[in-house]
Amino acid sequence: MTRWTMSCVLVLLATGCSAPMHQESEEVFNFWPLARYERGVQPEGHTVDVLWPFIHDHRSGDATRSWVFPFHAATDDGKGHTFRNIGGLHWSERDAAERWSTWNIFPFFWSKESPKEDMWHLWPLWGRKLVDGDPATRTDWYMWPLGRWTRSDNGVRNEAAVLDLDPLFTVLTSHREPGGGGRTHARTRAVSLLGGLLSLYSARDEPLGDDLQHEAWRALSFFDVVSLAGSERDVDADGEVAASASHLFPVYANRRAADGASRGWLVPPLYGWEDDPAAGLSAFDVLWPLGRYETHEGDDPRWHLRALPLLWFTKRPESTTQVAFPFYYRVTDAKDDYLHVVPFYGRHVLDGGVKRRSFVVPPLWIHSADDRDNTSRHDVLFPLAATSRSDDESMSRVFPIFYQRDTTLGDESHTNVLLGFDRQRDPQGGSTILWPLLGRAHASTLGSENGIAEVGHEWSVLPLLDARFLTGFRPKGEATSVLFPLSRFARDGDEVSRWVLPFYWWFDDGQGTSHKHIWPFYGRDTKPDGFTRTWTAAHLFFWGGTPDDSERDLGLFFPFGYWERTPAKTRHWALPLWYHRAAHDRAESTTWVLWPLFSRSVEPDGHRLTHSLGWLYRNEVAPSESEAGAIGETEETWVLGGLYHGRRDAKTTRSSVAFLYSYENDGVDRTLKLFHLIPISL
């Protein structure tokens, strides 16, 4: 709402009986509401009301206010601001201090003049707005909203519009302004909605860089980014087209870059073309990306053809890729050549022909060769049958009937027949097994005349679970096993081991250690120091000792009953009744009787502790040293968790019963306190 409109409303609604404008006055007569006259004294003035509120006149110094409702109203604040209204059809307002004025004949003419802008409106035929700031702007309206013309920067920038209801709807807008180097910026938009969000047609012409002019138009565009049809190009100073792009969705699209590279589509992705002279590329696509033909020239010359998923051909000077899915496949480069004609034939040539492999109806027949070690291998019905030969070894197999491998020097061999007979041999030994009846393994070494001498062997009867033959083990000494690992009898020099699980076990290392068990009835274990222990009844009862009787032990229903004596200690217990342990080399012992009913322990430093049921009774004796350097003992006793407490050392004796009394004797004085409060000297 403008300033003159607001002033008019305030004047028409003002009350005639309001107080005068801040003046001291005297009332001459008052026949309200018919007539009233009031004279102002300071400042000088008057107030006249006739048939209030229809006629009113007020003056206070230079300020005036008057109206004849509803025909005329006028105000003057005495400071240069005036307002006049005639019948609501004509307004005029002026502010001399701020140098602006408005003049209006409702509803056809309105004008405003001020230092910064001037406006005239002859509605709806013509309108004009002048902004004299920097830059100066002039806007003219013709038959609003049919036409608008705006000029700014003193006429340098121009903008015209037809049926302009921006931002809702505009039929036509055109904008032009200067650019660098004498060039211009021009934009045109026809039938646009929502401030240019949607446009039926838009065009622009603007400078691009220092020497290019960008020209573009779009039809049915969204934000001038996405459009149904359009064209754009970059033109240099000579009028030559440097780069261009055009499209007609969804039928046609083409783009050409400044370096001459172009990419185009006709009903994409039905047909497309691509050309890049700098890279030497020329290509076209059919149903992209399924079909494509391209040629390259320059640093990486090649040609390529594909029709996915059936065909793929790429050729370079040193490599070729050819695929006709699913029957033909070939890849070659400077060193390797892969060829497959599925399912009849295949060939691999690797490392320039050093390694070769051929297939005929694989896995019916496969041949491999390697010139590095003169390897030649043939597979029939891979992996069932094969034969191979190299500089180091030869091999033949027909699975599961036969397998044979021999080294060229003849020092190693492996033969297997029907998975039941297996024989292996090498310089360290060998093995022979006739599964599941019998097996034999032996270890060998080179003799003094470079002959092979056998140094150990083992026979395995019924080797159903004897997996050692799979690991190539080499036995030591002589051994025989039956249903290994259930039973085994072996001797290696002085070392003997025999067992029949789980009842019998005998081991002797020939150096004093032996174990002989007939589980659970009898056992005898001997250590290198001569200590021998004999046990029975699954180790519940045992006895043992050394030949010189320096160590002895005895177990009865072990671990509940046990007795032990060594030069360093003695231990014996009958759990849970009794436990005793004593060290001979130092004064240390521990004794329990029906623990925790009674417990006594002695430490090497002379510390002794006796207790029963924890703190029911507790007596502790610890060594102590007096001020004179004499060694003595300190003894403390607790009964019933401290209900009674006594303490004795070399100088003082104390005792107390909780809440009852306390007694102290330091060798000079004796003091008794009843209830711990009343002292009595004794």
Side-chain angles (χ1 to χ4, degrees):
M1 184 179 293
T2 62
R3 183 180 300 179
W4 60 266
T5 304
M6 179 66 74
S7 300
C8 180
V9 173
L10 292 175
V11 169
L12 292 176
L13 296 180
T15 60
C17 59
S18 60
M21 296 181 180
H22 306 289
Q23 65 176 347
E24 298 180 3
S25 62
E26 60 177 346
E27 190 172 74
V28 179
F29 66 88
N30 185 356
F31 297 99
W32 188 86
L34 298 179
R36 182 174 71 93
Y37 175 74
E38 193 175 275
R39 183 173 57 199
V41 177
Q42 185 65 34
E44 183 179 356
H46 67 267
T47 299
V48 179
D49 290 311
V50 179
L51 294 176
W52 185 89
F54 296 100
I55 300 175
H56 173 76
D57 180 69
H58 174 78
R59 177 181 297 275
S60 177
D62 295 331
T64 62
R65 179 179 66 222
S66 63
W67 69 72
V68 179
F69 185 78
F71 304 105
H72 174 267
T75 62
D76 187 346
D77 63 357
K79 299 179 180 179
H81 184 274
T82 62
F83 172 78
R84 185 177 299 276
N85 177 9
I86 300 176
L89 300 178
H90 167 66
W91 291 273
S92 64
E93 188 175 6
R94 183 172 180 271
D95 193 330
E98 297 184 7
R99 297 183 300 168
W100 62 266
S101 63
T102 62
W103 199 78
N104 185 0
I105 299 177
F106 183 81
F108 305 104
F109 181 77
W110 177 71
S111 68
K112 178 180 179 181
E113 296 182 1
S114 68
K116 293 186 178 180
E117 64 178 9
D118 296 334
M119 292 186 292
W120 297 270
H121 286 269
L122 184 61
W123 192 85
L125 301 178
W126 176 76
R128 185 182 69 181
K129 178 180 180 181
L130 295 177
V131 180
D132 297 329
D134 186 15
T137 301
R138 172 175 174 172
T139 301
D140 291 87
W141 289 270
Y142 304 94
M143 299 295 292
W144 185 88
L146 295 181
R148 176 178 61 83
W149 183 25
T150 301
R151 288 154 291 177
S152 61
D153 284 348
N154 297 317
V156 175
R157 290 182 174 85
N158 296 276
E159 182 172 321
V162 177
L163 195 57
D164 182 15
L165 294 176
D166 189 63
L168 297 179
F169 175 75
T170 303
V171 172
L172 177 66
T173 58
S174 177
H175 177 86
R176 179 179 294 273
E177 62 180 88
R183 295 175 294 171
T184 61
H185 288 268
R187 295 191 300 273
T188 303
R189 183 178 287 112
V191 189
S192 63
L193 300 175
L194 304 177
L197 178 66
L198 297 174
S199 299
L200 181 63
Y201 171 84
S202 64
R204 68 179 185 273
D205 186 356
E206 55 191 6
L208 183 66
D210 297 332
D211 55 357
L212 293 179
Q213 188 76 13
H214 182 72
E215 303 174 357
W217 66 267
R218 297 180 184 272
L220 288 178
S221 64
F222 177 77
F223 264 141
D224 285 344
V225 176
V226 180
S227 60
L228 184 65
S231 175
E232 55 183 306
R233 63 179 187 171
D234 298 334
V235 183
D236 59 18
D238 298 330
E240 298 293 332
V241 177
S244 64
S246 58
H247 68 276
L248 177 61
F249 183 81
V251 179
Y252 171 79
N254 184 47
R255 179 176 293 274
R256 185 173 69 86
D259 59 358
S262 64
R263 179 63 161 156
W265 294 96
L266 188 63
V267 192
L270 180 62
Y271 178 78
W273 61 92
E274 186 175 2
D275 189 15
D276 190 349
L281 169 65
S282 178
F284 66 86
D285 298 90
V286 178
L287 287 177
W288 181 89
L290 301 181
R292 181 178 177 88
Y293 174 81
E294 66 180 44
T295 60
H296 286 261
E297 299 177 357
D299 296 337
D300 185 18
R302 66 185 184 276
W303 70 269
H304 170 72
L305 172 66
R306 70 171 180 260
L308 298 177
L310 301 178
L311 299 178
W312 182 289
F313 295 99
T314 301
K315 181 174 178 58
R316 288 182 170 88
E318 296 184 354
S319 65
T320 303
T321 301
Q322 303 174 5
V323 178
F325 184 81
F327 303 106
Y328 180 80
Y329 169 80
R330 185 175 187 183
V331 176
T332 64
D333 56 26
K335 298 176 62 178
D336 303 331
D337 185 354
Y338 295 87
L339 171 65
H340 284 272
V341 182
V342 181
F344 305 105
Y345 178 73
R347 184 188 69 212
H348 296 173
V349 179
L350 308 177
D351 296 336
V354 175
K355 296 187 292 185
R356 302 173 301 280
R357 180 175 296 174
S358 301
F359 310 84
V360 176
V361 192
L364 179 62
W365 181 80
I366 301 174
H367 174 255
S368 304
D370 192 336
D371 294 343
R372 294 173 300 180
D373 55 0
N374 295 322
T375 298
S376 178
R377 177 186 175 115
H378 297 270
D379 290 88
V380 180
L381 290 176
F382 176 84
L384 300 181
T387 177
S388 68
R389 180 176 295 276
S390 66
D391 293 338
D392 299 327
E393 65 178 25
S394 62
M395 182 275 298
S396 300
R397 76 162 181 263
V398 180
F399 185 83
I401 300 173
F402 176 77
Y403 174 83
Q404 176 69 39
R405 184 183 69 85
D406 295 293
T407 60
T408 304
L409 299 177
D411 55 348
E412 296 183 19
S413 66
H414 184 188
T415 304
N416 186 284
V417 179
L418 293 173
L419 302 179
F421 174 79
D422 187 269
R423 182 176 182 181
Q424 302 182 43
R425 178 176 57 84
D426 58 34
Q428 288 75 38
S431 64
T432 303
I433 183 171
L434 182 61
W435 196 87
L437 302 177
L438 184 67
R440 184 179 188 275
H442 68 277
S444 303
T445 185
L446 294 176
S448 59
E449 298 179 358
N450 292 330
I452 297 178
E454 187 174 289
V455 295
H457 69 272
E458 178 170 343
W459 290 91
S460 180
V461 181
L462 299 175
L464 300 177
L465 301 176
D466 198 345
R468 297 176 300 169
F469 286 92
L470 302 178
T471 62
F473 82 105
R474 299 295 180 256
K476 296 181 180 180
E478 300 178 357
T480 301
S481 59
V482 179
L483 285 173
F484 184 87
L486 297 181
S487 65
R488 187 172 186 265
F489 305 88
R491 176 181 291 276
D492 182 12
D494 295 332
E495 181 178 315
V496 177
S497 63
R498 304 172 184 175
W499 72 77
V500 178
L501 298 180
F503 307 106
Y504 175 72
W505 166 262
W506 179 13
F507 172 79
D508 190 339
D509 64 356
Q511 299 179 1
T513 301
S514 66
H515 304 279
K516 299 177 181 179
H517 294 183
I518 301 177
W519 183 264
F521 307 106
Y522 174 79
R524 185 178 181 87
D525 301 320
T526 303
K527 298 180 180 180
D529 59 0
F531 185 90
T532 301
R533 176 180 292 168
T534 304
W535 56 265
T536 184
H539 225 280
L540 290 178
F541 304 99
F542 60 84
W543 59 94
T546 56
D548 58 0
D549 203 30
S550 60
E551 296 184 20
R552 287 290 180 183
D553 70 350
L554 174 66
L556 299 175
F557 292 100
F558 184 82
F560 299 100
Y562 180 70
W563 177 85
E564 178 188 28
R565 177 176 55 80
T566 66
K569 64 182 178 180
T570 298
R571 290 190 302 169
H572 40 84
W573 68 74
L575 300 179
L577 302 176
W578 175 59
Y579 173 86
H580 177 74
R581 178 181 62 84
H584 299 164
D585 54 349
R586 59 187 185 273
E588 180 182 2
S589 66
T590 300
T591 303
W592 297 342
V593 177
L594 288 176
W595 188 92
L597 184 61
F598 175 80
S599 175
R600 178 179 175 82
S601 63
V602 180
E603 301 294 338
D605 60 357
H607 186 277
R608 302 187 299 277
L609 175 63
T610 304
H611 64 85
S612 176
L613 295 176
W615 289 87
L616 180 64
Y617 171 79
R618 183 180 182 90
N619 178 265
E620 185 173 358
V621 179
S624 63
E625 183 176 355
S626 64
E627 297 179 355
I631 302 300
E633 291 182 338
T634 299
E635 179 181 3
E636 287 191 79
T637 303
W638 295 267
V639 179
L640 294 177
L643 182 63
Y644 169 81
H645 175 248
R647 187 178 188 279
R648 178 183 58 82
D649 56 25
K651 295 177 61 178
T652 307
T653 299
R654 297 185 182 92
S655 64
S656 65
V657 175
F659 310 110
L660 186 58
Y661 80 93
S662 64
Y663 172 78
E664 181 177 349
N665 183 1
D666 59 4
V668 178
D669 297 324
R670 294 180 297 169
T671 302
L672 174 65
K673 290 184 180 181
L674 293 179
F675 308 111
H676 294 263
L677 297 174
I678 303 173
I680 300 176
S681 298
L682 301 178

